[in-house]
Short mmCIF file of all heavy atoms in Angstrom, two decimals:
data_model
loop_
_atom_site.label_atom_id
_atom_site.label_comp_id
_atom_site.label_asym_id
_atom_site.label_seq_id
_atom_site.Cartn_x
_atom_site.Cartn_y
_atom_site.Cartn_z
N ALA A 5 18.63 1.49 -23.72
CA ALA A 5 19.21 1.91 -25.04
C ALA A 5 19.17 3.45 -25.05
O ALA A 5 18.09 4.03 -24.92
CB ALA A 5 18.34 1.29 -26.14
N ALA A 9 23.98 10.01 -30.18
CA ALA A 9 23.62 11.38 -30.72
C ALA A 9 23.45 12.42 -29.57
O ALA A 9 23.48 13.62 -29.74
CB ALA A 9 22.37 11.43 -31.53
N ILE A 17 32.93 18.13 -25.76
CA ILE A 17 34.24 17.79 -26.41
C ILE A 17 34.31 16.30 -26.55
O ILE A 17 34.69 15.80 -27.58
CB ILE A 17 35.35 18.35 -25.62
CG1 ILE A 17 35.35 19.82 -25.86
CG2 ILE A 17 36.63 17.71 -25.97
CD1 ILE A 17 35.88 20.23 -27.31
N GLY A 28 37.81 15.44 -32.16
CA GLY A 28 39.03 14.62 -32.00
C GLY A 28 39.66 14.71 -30.67
O GLY A 28 40.80 14.17 -30.52
N PRO A 52 35.27 16.87 -8.64
CA PRO A 52 33.75 17.18 -8.87
C PRO A 52 32.99 17.68 -7.67
O PRO A 52 33.11 17.04 -6.59
CB PRO A 52 33.19 15.76 -9.38
CG PRO A 52 34.31 14.98 -9.84
CD PRO A 52 35.49 15.51 -9.06
N SER A 110 21.38 15.21 -10.89
CA SER A 110 20.75 14.38 -9.93
C SER A 110 21.71 14.04 -8.77
O SER A 110 22.89 14.39 -8.86
CB SER A 110 20.30 13.00 -10.57
OG SER A 110 21.43 12.22 -10.96
N SER A 121 9.78 16.54 -20.78
CA SER A 121 9.85 16.38 -22.25
C SER A 121 10.57 15.24 -22.70
O SER A 121 10.47 14.83 -23.80
CB SER A 121 10.60 17.74 -22.75
OG SER A 121 11.91 17.79 -22.18
N PRO A 210 -0.12 8.52 -15.12
CA PRO A 210 0.19 8.05 -16.35
C PRO A 210 0.40 9.23 -17.37
O PRO A 210 0.05 10.37 -17.04
CB PRO A 210 -1.02 7.24 -16.84
CG PRO A 210 -2.14 7.86 -16.16
CD PRO A 210 -1.56 8.34 -14.83
N LEU A 233 1.73 10.33 -0.46
CA LEU A 233 1.74 10.03 -1.82
C LEU A 233 0.43 10.37 -2.56
O LEU A 233 -0.66 10.39 -1.86
CB LEU A 233 2.00 8.58 -2.07
CG LEU A 233 3.28 7.98 -1.47
CD1 LEU A 233 3.36 6.37 -1.77
CD2 LEU A 233 4.48 8.62 -1.96
N SER A 262 0.64 5.73 4.90
CA SER A 262 -0.06 6.78 5.63
C SER A 262 -0.24 8.04 4.65
O SER A 262 0.70 8.31 3.88
CB SER A 262 0.60 7.21 6.90
OG SER A 262 1.88 7.66 6.69
N ASN A 269 -8.32 5.84 -9.94
CA ASN A 269 -7.69 4.63 -10.45
C ASN A 269 -8.78 3.66 -10.96
O ASN A 269 -9.77 3.57 -10.42
CB ASN A 269 -6.71 4.01 -9.44
CG ASN A 269 -5.67 5.02 -9.03
OD1 ASN A 269 -4.82 5.30 -9.83
ND2 ASN A 269 -5.72 5.61 -7.83
N LEU A 292 -10.30 9.26 -3.94
CA LEU A 292 -11.11 10.43 -4.52
C LEU A 292 -11.55 9.91 -5.94
O LEU A 292 -10.81 10.13 -7.00
CB LEU A 292 -10.27 11.65 -4.68
CG LEU A 292 -9.81 12.37 -3.30
CD1 LEU A 292 -8.94 13.51 -3.54
CD2 LEU A 292 -11.02 12.68 -2.55
N SER A 314 -15.29 6.73 -3.76
CA SER A 314 -15.11 5.92 -4.89
C SER A 314 -16.49 5.91 -5.66
O SER A 314 -17.57 5.87 -5.08
CB SER A 314 -14.73 4.47 -4.62
OG SER A 314 -15.65 3.87 -3.78
N LEU A 334 -14.22 4.90 9.38
CA LEU A 334 -14.40 4.98 8.00
C LEU A 334 -15.43 6.09 7.66
O LEU A 334 -16.57 6.09 8.13
CB LEU A 334 -14.87 3.61 7.36
CG LEU A 334 -15.56 3.62 5.95
CD1 LEU A 334 -14.41 4.01 5.03
CD2 LEU A 334 -16.09 2.21 5.67
N GLU A 337 -18.82 8.47 1.32
CA GLU A 337 -19.73 9.30 0.59
C GLU A 337 -21.01 8.50 0.21
O GLU A 337 -20.92 7.30 -0.08
CB GLU A 337 -19.13 10.00 -0.61
CG GLU A 337 -18.18 11.08 -0.28
CD GLU A 337 -18.97 12.40 0.22
OE1 GLU A 337 -20.21 12.39 0.01
OE2 GLU A 337 -18.36 13.37 0.67
N ALA A 340 -20.77 6.22 -2.87
CA ALA A 340 -19.94 4.99 -2.86
C ALA A 340 -20.83 3.80 -2.48
O ALA A 340 -21.85 3.89 -1.80
CB ALA A 340 -18.82 5.12 -1.90
N LEU A 351 -13.57 -6.25 13.20
CA LEU A 351 -14.19 -5.24 14.11
C LEU A 351 -14.14 -3.86 13.37
O LEU A 351 -13.10 -3.44 12.89
CB LEU A 351 -13.33 -5.09 15.41
CG LEU A 351 -13.74 -4.06 16.35
CD1 LEU A 351 -15.14 -4.19 16.80
CD2 LEU A 351 -12.72 -3.91 17.54
N ASP A 366 -18.02 -7.69 14.28
CA ASP A 366 -18.54 -6.79 15.23
C ASP A 366 -18.40 -5.34 14.81
O ASP A 366 -17.52 -4.99 13.98
CB ASP A 366 -17.65 -6.87 16.63
CG ASP A 366 -17.86 -8.25 17.30
OD1 ASP A 366 -18.92 -8.86 17.13
OD2 ASP A 366 -16.91 -8.77 17.90
N SER A 424 -35.67 -26.55 18.92
CA SER A 424 -36.88 -27.23 19.28
C SER A 424 -37.94 -26.88 18.18
O SER A 424 -39.16 -26.68 18.55
CB SER A 424 -37.32 -26.80 20.68
OG SER A 424 -37.59 -25.35 20.74
N TYR A 443 -43.54 -19.97 30.03
CA TYR A 443 -44.31 -21.02 29.65
C TYR A 443 -44.22 -21.32 28.11
O TYR A 443 -44.13 -20.32 27.30
CB TYR A 443 -45.78 -20.80 29.89
CG TYR A 443 -46.07 -20.65 31.29
CD1 TYR A 443 -45.98 -19.49 32.09
CD2 TYR A 443 -46.42 -21.80 32.17
CE1 TYR A 443 -46.13 -19.41 33.43
CE2 TYR A 443 -46.63 -21.71 33.57
CZ TYR A 443 -46.46 -20.50 34.17
OH TYR A 443 -46.74 -20.46 35.51
#
Side-chain angles (χ1 to χ4, degrees):
I17 282 294
S110 71
S121 60
L233 305 178
S262 65
N269 296 291
L292 296 177
S314 62
L334 167 64
E337 283 288 350
L351 174 60
D366 296 327
S424 62
Y443 295 88

